[in-house]
Amino acid sequence: MNPPAFLNWQHCTPRDIRALAARDAVAVLPLGAIEQHGEHLPLSTDLDIASGLSEAALQAIADPARAVLLPAMAVALSTEHADFAGTLTLQPDTALATLVQVGLSVARAGLRRLVMVNAHGGNKSVVDLAALELRARARMLAVRAHTFRLPPPDDAIAGEELRCGLHGGALETSLMLHFAPERVRRDAIDHFEALPERAAREGSLLAPEGVAAFGWMAQDLHPLGVAGNARLADADTGRRLAGHFAAQLARIIDEAAGFDMSRLRDRAPLDPP
């Protein structure tokens, strides 16, 4: 196997980090979770996907010398899955403070470009708030790259499953069959018809992630805490999804590397144009 073209932060020395800062490098932070995904997927599902996509994206960027992969943030905000055995979670304020402190540490090292690759829906609000905090406190370009917001390739997964397979469905199961097939319990794969699917069938605006969304715990979706048709998953679809998402993330990292930092002003202008 060929070694990665990019650097891992934890494998660097202080001199390496100073060299990255001198090159105005982009730091890439994978964010996942350790939480239940039913009995067919491991607790590490979101972490495996975030890490796998981040590494694949960094292999595809224009200039690997201008990027560094941070240690993945494995445990974050998983309150909605806390009633299932194995889930690890931080409190919201702790998760936000942890993410901000990691970003500020990167800024202290001289790197002001950060791309957060988040593969867990429960982290979205924390990532969004952290990006604003890092902009305000350290004038960083803090990019929120939520993998579940990236458009998938055409016809990879049926539209209804994309809308309703919120957790442990065809998309995540396919990606895991690509990234870590040995961790997938194939005998437990099933169609987990859950609350989002029923709400869509009824045409309801009120749904867990609908037009009018509400706070939910995973057991509200389904007794096993999953939602979606994992029977639609296969490794080839996972390979196709991974390549497609990694290409989009590589473009995001490249655009972050080329972003004109002078656009981030120290203060609001007294006389706006």
Side-chain angles (χ1 to χ4, degrees):
M1 181 180 295
N2 294 327
F6 55 89
L7 290 174
N8 286 275
W9 186 281
Q10 64 269 31
H11 299 161
C12 292
T13 67
R15 180 179 296 171
D16 297 328
I17 300 298
R18 289 195 297 271
L20 285 163
R23 292 195 292 270
D24 199 12
V26 180
V28 177
L29 174 62
L31 290 112
I34 302 297
E35 63 179 33
Q36 65 84 28
H37 280 74
E39 291 299 320
H40 63 299
L41 294 176
L43 299 169
S44 63
T45 292
D46 291 339
L47 176 62
D48 293 338
I49 292 172
S51 297
L53 290 178
S54 296
E55 292 173 12
L58 284 168
Q59 295 281 11
I61 62 175
D63 184 2
R66 279 200 63 192
V68 59
L69 182 66
L70 289 160
M73 187 168 168
V75 180
L77 186 57
S78 296
T79 304
E80 67 272 27
H81 303 283
D83 290 337
F84 287 85
T87 295
L88 304 178
T89 186
L90 304 176
Q91 290 294 319
D93 55 347
T94 306
L96 176 59
T98 300
L99 185 50
V100 169
Q101 287 302 317
V102 170
L104 292 176
S105 296
V106 170
R108 279 195 299 274
L111 286 80
R112 293 178 49 223
R113 303 170 192 264
L114 174 67
V115 174
M116 295 174 282
V117 178
N118 172 42
H120 169 48
N123 288 339
K124 182 182 180 303
S125 57
V126 171
V127 172
D128 292 349
L129 289 169
L132 180 58
E133 188 77 3
L134 291 170
R135 164 62 188 89
R137 292 177 61 177
R139 204 160 66 88
M140 292 184 76
L141 175 68
V143 180
R144 306 165 293 178
H146 302 294
T147 62
F148 45 84
R149 291 292 177 90
L150 299 174
D154 293 339
D155 303 323
I157 294 177
E160 181 180 356
E161 174 62 15
L162 279 176
R163 291 188 298 272
C164 302
L166 301 181
H167 192 64
L171 189 145
E172 288 187 317
T173 304
S174 292
L175 284 169
M176 286 301 290
L177 285 168
H178 170 67
F179 284 127
E182 72 283 359
R183 297 178 195 159
V184 179
R185 317 292 173 87
R186 288 171 172 80
D187 59 338
I189 289 176
D190 205 346
H191 179 187
F192 306 99
E193 185 175 355
L195 183 58
E197 197 170 334
R198 295 193 295 274
R201 194 162 52 239
E202 296 164 1
S204 176
L205 295 179
L206 182 64
E209 297 297 331
V211 174
F214 56 86
W216 49 268
M217 297 293 284
Q219 61 267 30
D220 300 335
L221 305 180
H222 185 279
L224 293 176
V226 288
N229 189 354
R231 290 177 181 169
L232 299 175
D234 61 72
D236 186 64
T237 299
R239 177 193 56 78
R240 185 180 173 200
L241 289 167
H244 184 82
F245 291 148
Q248 292 181 74
L249 289 169
R251 179 178 173 182
I252 290 168
I253 296 167
D254 283 337
E255 291 185 7
F259 184 83
D260 180 2
M261 295 295 283
S262 69
R263 295 179 182 178
L264 304 183
R265 299 175 183 268
D266 286 323
R267 295 180 178 84
L270 296 176
D271 298 307

